[in-house]
Structure formats: C-alpha cells, structure tokens
Amino acid sequence: MGTADIVTKEYMRGNAVFADAFNYLIYNGKKVIDPANLKEIDPTEIALPFDDEAKAGKEKDGEDKNRKAQGTEWSSVKNESVRKKTAGRAGKKTDAVQRYRDLLKFAVIKQDERTSYVLLGIENQTDVHYAMPVRNAIYDALQYGRQVADIAAGHRRNKNDFSGKNNGEYLSGFLKEDHIRPVITLVIHFGAEEWDGPLSLHEMMSTRDMELLSFVENYRIHLIDPAKLTEEQLDHFSTSLKEVMGYIKYSKNKEQLLKFLHTDTHRSIEMNAVRVIKTITNTPIEVSEEEGEIEMCKAIEDLIAESEARGRAEGEVRGEARGRAEGETRGEAKGMIEICLDMSFSKEDILKKLQEKLNISLQQAGEYFEMYGKHIV
C-alpha cells in the first residue's frame, strides 16, 4: 500500500469525516448521520457460491450434509482480491471470491422517529479506476450475499427456526420474514484532474441499444470528485473535508487557492487532513506530530512568501554574478581595443579579435568598439 493510500484511508477512517462524507452524499450536508452512531467493521468481502447439493436430497443424511455445507460457505479472511479453491463439507470444490474494501462501517441513522440500520463503505481513489462500477458492484453483491449467509447460518444453529417453514425457506436458509440491510458505497477521488471514468455499468458497455439495455441492471457509482465540486457544494461539508477537497480542487491555481483559503470559515484543520493535502498535492507543509492542528491559510501564505523571498535572493545572486562577469568582459574588451589601436589595427581586425578572444557576437564586439574605440587615422 502506497503512502497516498495509507494517509487517505487513515483520514477517512475518522467517524466525523466519514459521517460528513455521507451526510453530503445523502442529505445534502444536513447532519443526519451521527459520528457517534458509526462502528467500523471488517471490510473483507468473501463469498462461496451456494452449493448445488442444497437443492438435492430430501433424505436426512443429505439434508445434514447440505446444512453443514451451507453453514461453512462464508468466512472473513484478510487478504486482498484473491480466488482460491476451498473444499466444502459436502466434498465438493468451490471457488471463493474475496475482495478487501478500504472502509466499511455499520451506521444507525435516526430521522423523523425512524431508525435505519445500514452499511456504509468508502473507496478512496487517487487515480481514476475505469472499471469502478463493476468493482463496487462486486463489493456490494458480496456484502449482500454475506448477510444472507450469516442469517442462514444463524437459523441452522437453531433448528427450531425452521419449524413450520416451507421447503424453499429450509433449502435457502432465508425465511420469508428475514431482511437484509442496505449497503451504500461511496467513491472519493483524491485527485486534481476531473474523473473521466464511467459512472455506471451501462457506460462500460459497447452496445447503445436502449431496448436491450433496459433488461440490464445499471449499477451506478456514487462519487465525490473535487474538480467538479462548486463553491456552494464545498460549503455543504462541515469538517476538514471541505478544506481537503477545496485544496485539491485549486491546487494548480495559486490565486484561486489563496482566495478559497481566505474565505474559508475554518481557521484550522487537523494533522490527518494536512497529511492528505501534503501527500496528494506535494505541498511542502511541515507536519508536526506534536501539534494537533494547523492554520492552512497562514501556512500557505508563509510558504509562498518564503518561495518568493528565495526567488528574489537567487535572482540577486545571479544578477551580481552576471554583473561581475559583464564587468570583467568589458574590462578585457577595453584593454584589447586600446592596444590594438596603438598598434594601428583596422576596425575589422579589432572586431575579429574581440569575437575570438572573448567569445562574443559581432554585434557585441561592435558595441564595445563604439564604447572604447578612438578615432582611427
């Protein structure tokens, strides 16, 4: 995992920033999701296809085997993006599909005397992922499958749950009254360039036959892209996410960046946010482990002032060096011209010698001659 992945993940892991991102996405910035009601959970998504043998036997032995097989179909293993062969209890080999999300949190959302239980996932992208709709669809599908499997496993541990249930409920392990929780995945683009990848499954397909596509589910991604955020939209963030997104958005325009920082209502931001800005935009901000916050506007103005002062100093040094070199060249030219005139050299010969000795152009040699030459008799 690269530095950018580490700092963005650590930054978005904070409940306040995490909640702010989803309040922006779902509620237009209204503070509905409470950071205190967020709980981080294992982001690993792993699934084994349902065993075909579950559809088979009605014999008791077969049923027991099916029950054991389905009870071991799902697990959590912390390895990224793998497919492996796993032997089922029923003696059958099946493909395990595993994906590792960036962040996944369980949320209790209370609004208008209603309580919703949802799973919220975040994918941090420093570069555009041109297959993001498929990637997120896999994450969400695996999570839904995992919920179904967990519910089924719970029922199979308590045999009384199937009392009076029909064959379909028994075989699937999922009862008519069972429910799964919604999963919402948000992509956050930590890049100054505009996201130019597809935002839906249909956009990834070559066909434009709308009649045909009407039968293809069109999975769409939810995206926060700093390049496309307006100033009004930036104001919908209530945490340092505003400064991070705004800084990235204007990072290639110094005047716009300073204007944004000067009008910003937040005087200071936390160090995790500063680390993201420093890493993503290559801004040489000093990050102190001892300080908890930093005033971004002052920090950037100090950097610009320091850079301008350094530029002036370097210019002065270069100017002095050029001046000294110019003075030395003029001195040599004057001496050569006087000697050559005393020796009755022609103007043409003097200009030629100036060019050869001082490695200068004919024009410059002529200028020196006009400055230091005497009337040739």
Side-chain angles (χ1 to χ4, degrees), residues 12-27:
M12 293 308 305
R13 172 172 276 124
N15 278 2
V17 176
F18 191 99
D20 193 23
F22 278 98
N23 279 328
Y24 168 84
L25 174 70
I26 304 171
Y27 302 109

Side-chain angles (χ1 to χ4, degrees), residues 40-54:
E40 187 167 351
I41 58 178
D42 183 4
T44 306
E45 308 292 9
I46 183 169
L48 296 180
F50 288 102
D51 198 324
D52 288 340
E53 289 188 16

Side-chain angles (χ1 to χ4, degrees), residues 83-131:
R83 292 178 61 85
K84 62 184 178 181
K85 292 290 183 181
T86 305
R89 293 278 185 95
K92 212 173 179 184
K93 294 230 175 182
T94 52
D95 279 337
V97 181
Q98 183 174 301
R99 293 292 184 271
Y100 196 50
R101 288 178 180 265
D102 282 343
L103 292 165
L104 186 65
K105 299 200 179 199
F106 173 72
V108 179
I109 302 176
K110 298 178 181 179
Q111 188 181 30
D112 300 330
E113 298 182 356
R114 292 175 317 211
T115 301
S116 301
Y117 301 93
V118 300
L119 294 173
L120 305 175
I122 281 182
E123 292 301 307
N124 302 315
Q125 290 295 132
T126 53
D127 297 301
V128 177
H129 193 305
Y130 292 95

Side-chain angles (χ1 to χ4, degrees), residues 144-161:
Y144 287 130
R146 182 174 184 173
Q147 291 184 49
V148 170
D150 286 346
I151 291 170
H155 289 319
R156 296 189 189 285
R157 283 192 296 269
N158 185 1
K159 296 181 181 180
N160 292 331
D161 286 357

